[in-house]
Amino acid sequence: MKNVLYVGPYRQNDEWGITSRALVSSLSKNENINLCIRPIWFNQDHNLIDIGSLSKYENKKVLPEQKEILIQHGIPTYLNYNGDFQQNIIALSLDCGIENTSWADHIELFDKVLVFSDNEKKLLEKSNIKTPAFSFKHPPLFENFNMNNLNFQFQGVKFYAKVSLDQKSSLEEIATSYLSAFKIPDNALLTLCVSQNEAEKVASLLDEIKTQLGINTDHDYYNDIAVAPIEDIETMNYIHNVCDYFIDCSYNCRIGQDLLRSIAFGSTPIVLDTCSEFTGEDYDFLVQSNDEIIRYERRPLRNLYSGEGSWKTPNTLSLKEILKFAYQTHGEQRKRIPINNDFKESIEELLCI
C-alpha cells in the first residue's frame, strides 16, 4: 500500500477546484492507497465547500513513517518540493507554452508532472520540460448530476457555450460563426452561459459583432442568441441536459469538466482539433484551428501567454460549416465519445503501485 498526501484546491468552486475534487475522489477509491488530503487556495473565495465523505481524509494525520508520496496540485509557483517525501509529484493544467516563465523552473524540481490531456503533455514537451510527464486521457469527471430547472421553452436546435469576456474563451469567434451561419427562418438558438457580472457587457459585445459583420442593417434580423447568467454547477447541468450541441473552441482547448459533463448528459460536443486524441481523428465536430502569435492583455503571470509563443485559435469558417452541418443533420445518430471514470489503472501507473 502506498501512503499518499495530496495537497490541492479541492475546496475551490472553480474549474481547478472541481477537477481537484474529482481527482481526490479517484484516489480515495483505490484500495492500494492510504490517502491524506490538505486544502490550498489559489483564489480569494474561501467559502466552505462541502466535500462530503472526502472530509475524513482531511482529518487524518500524516505520520513521519508515512511520508512516501506527495502530490501537489495547482499553480507551480505556489508549490515546493518537499525532501521529507520519497517522491514529489506536481499536477497542473495549462493552455499555453511555459518555457519563458518561472513555472518551468518549479516543475523541474519535481519527480513527475501530471496533466489531464495529451495536448497538455505536448505543451510541456514543447516547453522543453525535463521532468517526466504523465497524462490522463481526460480529467476525472466530477460526479454531480443534480439540476436546477429553468424555464427553457425553445423547441429548435439548441447550441450552447460557456464563455466569458476573456479573449481565450473564443466568445467572439463563436458568436461570429453562429451569426453568419443562420438566418431568421432557421430554427436554431445559441445560448451563451456567462457569469452574472459579465452578462450586460456580453450583450453589448454581441451588438458590436452584428455591426461589424454588416450582414443585416437591422440587428433584429440576426438569429437569436440568448445570454444566460449561470454561476452554479446544478444550473449548468440543466443546460447540458436540455441542449443539443456544446461548443468549446477556447484557445488551445483542453478537456474540462463542462466538456465531460456535456457528454455525460447526452449533448454533442463541438470542439477544437486540439482535443482530437480524446474524440478521435474521425470525429465530425472537430473545428479546424489556426496557429496564431499570442496577443493577450490579461497576463496573470510575467511571460505567461508571451508573444514569443503561439496558440491554436478556432477557424471561424470551419466552425460556421460545422454549425450548419450539425443543424442540417440534426436527429441523425451521433458518435458518442466514451468517458472512462475508472482511473485505477492510470493512478497505479502514475504512483508505480
Side-chain angles (χ1 to χ4, degrees):
M1 178 173 287
K2 294 283 188 178
N3 296 302
V4 176
L5 171 61
Y6 173 90
V7 179
Y10 55 84
R11 284 192 176 275
Q12 290 182 193
N13 213 20
D14 55 9
E15 179 78 14
W16 282 76
I18 294 168
T19 295
S20 177
R21 286 204 291 285
L23 179 57
V24 169
S25 179
S26 293
L27 290 167
S28 71
K29 292 173 184 176
N30 194 305
E31 66 277 6
N32 296 317
I33 294 174
N34 176 36
L35 179 66
C36 295
I37 63 175
R38 298 292 185 269
I40 188 172
W41 281 265
F42 298 105
N43 62 22
Q44 300 302 310
D45 183 8
H46 289 190
N47 292 328
L48 183 63
I49 302 296
D50 183 8
I51 59 172
S53 62
L54 297 178
S55 60
K56 67 182 180 182
Y57 300 101
E58 195 174 77
N59 295 328
K60 292 171 65 175
K61 291 184 178 180
V62 181
L63 302 177
E65 63 271 19
Q66 293 177 332
K67 292 185 176 181
E68 195 168 0
I69 298 176
L70 173 61
I71 301 175
Q72 298 181 69
H73 186 171
I75 299 172
T77 45
Y78 287 79
L79 309 176
N80 294 290
Y81 186 93
N82 189 323
D84 291 341
F85 287 81
Q86 297 173 21
Q87 187 176 35
N88 280 249
I89 297 173
I90 185 170
L92 69 152
S93 298
L94 67 157
D95 59 4
C96 70
I98 57 171
E99 60 270 27
N100 298 313
T101 73
S102 56
W103 283 22
D105 293 333
H106 279 76
I107 291 170
E108 294 200 337
L109 295 174
F110 287 78
D111 301 308
K112 287 182 184 176
V113 53
L114 169 64
V115 289
F116 300 102
S117 70
D118 291 323
N119 190 54
E120 289 171 282
K121 185 177 180 180
K122 288 177 182 177
L123 286 171
L124 286 173
E125 292 168 351
K126 190 177 178 180
S127 300
N128 298 314
I129 300 300
K130 301 299 189 296
T131 301
F134 187 95
S135 67
F136 290 166
K137 192 173 181 64
H138 61 77
L141 171 64
F142 181 58
E143 295 179 335
N144 176 350
F145 302 114
N146 298 325
M147 290 187 286
N148 288 335
N149 289 344
L150 298 174
N151 186 22
F152 199 97
Q153 301 296 328
F154 187 77
Q155 298 301 314
V157 180
K158 298 177 283 294
F159 299 94
Y160 67 112
K162 190 172 184 181
V163 294
S164 72
L165 290 172
D166 187 338
Q167 169 190 352
K168 296 191 283 89
S169 80
S170 75
L171 185 162
E172 293 192 36
E173 289 89 345
I174 292 170
T176 297
S177 300
Y178 174 84
L179 290 169
S180 64
F182 299 110
K183 309 295 183 184
I184 282 292
D186 294 322
N187 194 19
L189 174 69
L190 171 63
T191 298
L192 298 178
C193 303
V194 302
S195 64
Q196 179 74 49
N197 65 336
E198 289 191 340
E200 187 175 338
K201 289 183 179 179
V202 168
S204 176
L205 178 59
L206 292 176
D207 276 333
E208 290 180 22
I209 293 171
K210 291 173 184 178
T211 299
Q212 292 164 357
L213 282 171
I215 298 171
N216 302 304
T217 54
D218 190 330
H219 288 187
D220 290 337
Y221 292 159
Y222 285 95
N223 213 34
D224 289 334
I225 296 181
V227 178
I230 294 176
E231 305 279 1
D232 60 284
I233 292 174
E234 287 77 12
T235 307
M236 194 67 208
N237 281 349
Y238 178 83
I239 299 296
H240 285 308
N241 188 54
V242 300
C243 291
D244 304 304
Y245 299 93
F246 175 66
I247 306 169
D248 187 350
C249 290
S250 51
Y251 294 8
N252 274 353
C253 181
R254 64 178 185 263
I255 299 110
Q257 292 295 326
D258 274 298
L259 175 54
L260 294 173
R261 207 176 305 284
S262 71
I263 298 169
F265 277 98
S267 178
T268 299
I270 296 173
V271 292
L272 206 62
D273 56 15
T274 53
C275 298
S276 62
E277 294 191 41
F278 172 61
T279 63
E281 295 282 355
D282 61 343
Y283 187 61
D284 288 334
F285 301 97
L286 282 177
V287 177
Q288 179 184 336
S289 64
N290 298 323
D291 284 307
E292 301 285 353
I293 296 170
I294 295 175
R295 292 174 56 215
Y296 192 61
E297 292 184 3
R298 300 173 60 175
R299 191 167 289 111
L301 181 70
R302 184 181 178 185
N303 295 329
L304 194 67
Y305 306 118
S306 163
E308 293 183 76
S310 65
W311 53 19
K312 291 185 178 294
T313 65
N315 181 304
T316 51
L317 285 174
S318 173
L319 177 53
K320 174 183 176 179
E321 291 307 311
I322 287 177
L323 293 175
K324 290 169 67 176
F325 173 74
Y327 179 81
Q328 292 161 0
T329 61
H330 184 65
E332 296 183 8
Q333 188 171 357
R334 305 298 193 195
K335 174 187 175 182
R336 305 308 302 170
I337 304 170
I339 298 177
N340 172 26
N341 220 31
D342 181 5
F343 284 81
K344 185 175 189 294
E345 186 175 323
S346 297
I347 287 170
E348 290 187 350
E349 184 180 351
L350 170 70
L351 302 180
C352 300
I353 296 177

